[in-house]
Amino acid sequence: MIQKKNIWIICEYNQFDTPEVLQLLQKANELKKQINSAVWVICIGTYQKEAFNVLQEYGATDVLHEAMESFDLEAYIFVLEQMMTTYEPELLIFTDSQESKIVAAKLSNRFEMGLTADCIDVQVDKEGEYVFSRTAMNDSVLANIKCVQSKYQMCTVKSNIFQIKKMNNATELHMHRLQNKAEFKYQGKCKAYVERKQKNNSSTKDIYKAKVVIAVGRGIGDKDTFKLIKRVSNYWGAEIVGTRVAVEEGWVDSTRQVGQSGISIAPALYISFGVSGTMQHMIGLKNAKTIVAINKDPTAPIFDYADYCIVEDLNKVLQEMNKYI
């Protein structure tokens, strides 16, 4: 049974008010009402008053901040360890970034606690216990997972699964600092960086911002059809994404795979060509505003989700579209 303990949202270093954090804050505040708990946002890095104000606007009531002038992974994890030992949170929720997954995995090992990765939801059951939902068995089933015999529970949550909501009447924000800091002096091991490269995420960021997204699936058949789709997307200023098959065929990059194994998006308009619409893919479209599905198979699962359904050979549809370009 969950006791009255804190739910923690763990921010990446100096990334305190990102959309991913605000999404987790929305979900954590929903859980808070069910279990009579408190939600803390954990911020390690430089002091950022504007970022803390944003957190407050979106429902944060408590922030635990610890200063760190420059990023060091082991030092960052060490500070989190001391925070956990001091305050003993019940649940730690991480974003799905690579850095967050590394931190969560290391903490899971050090504290011997449960960790569920790539969650699409977190709920509280009738027994008052956390239930973590994610796909499993090559994304063919939806698994509901509980962490047993574990003092702490952790999960990483996929981006764009939860919506962001600004609070009408933001409450006072309480700032906390790590207690007994004099006792916690990190003794870093000797290390050497051979090379450091900045990862270019601009392509993926464009997808998240796009109002119109076109998706391709197995049904497009070949590269020639894909060229027609690309012409349509260029005309509309749309971003192209795909299913796992589209990635395997080389039509789209792996960073543009939508679904449980890829990214989640929330465009104003999503148009699919030859996408069957399996559960694993549609999970990534949970917050899409309008879905248009084009598929010659009238029994395709995507028609159960679509706002507009076109049962037709997609090449005929593309030819009509290209007449106007």
Side-chain angles (χ1 to χ4, degrees), residues 22-34:
L22 300 181
Q23 290 163 20
L24 297 184
L25 183 57
Q26 174 71 19
K27 181 61 183 181
N29 279 330
E30 292 177 8
L31 296 174
K32 166 185 172 181
K33 298 176 183 177
Q34 298 177 0

Side-chain angles (χ1 to χ4, degrees), residues 144-180:
N144 293 319
I145 301 169
K146 287 185 179 181
C147 294
V148 297
Q149 298 179 345
S150 181
K151 182 176 182 179
Y152 307 104
Q153 299 183 49
M154 295 196 307
C155 66
T156 65
V157 176
K158 293 184 68 64
S159 301
N160 298 315
I161 291 295
F162 307 120
Q163 295 183 338
I164 298 174
K165 183 179 179 181
K166 186 177 289 189
M167 305 298 291
N168 293 328
N169 298 310
T171 58
E172 181 183 356
L173 183 66
H174 302 282
M175 299 296 298
H176 305 271
R177 298 297 301 274
L178 184 59
Q179 298 174 0
N180 304 321

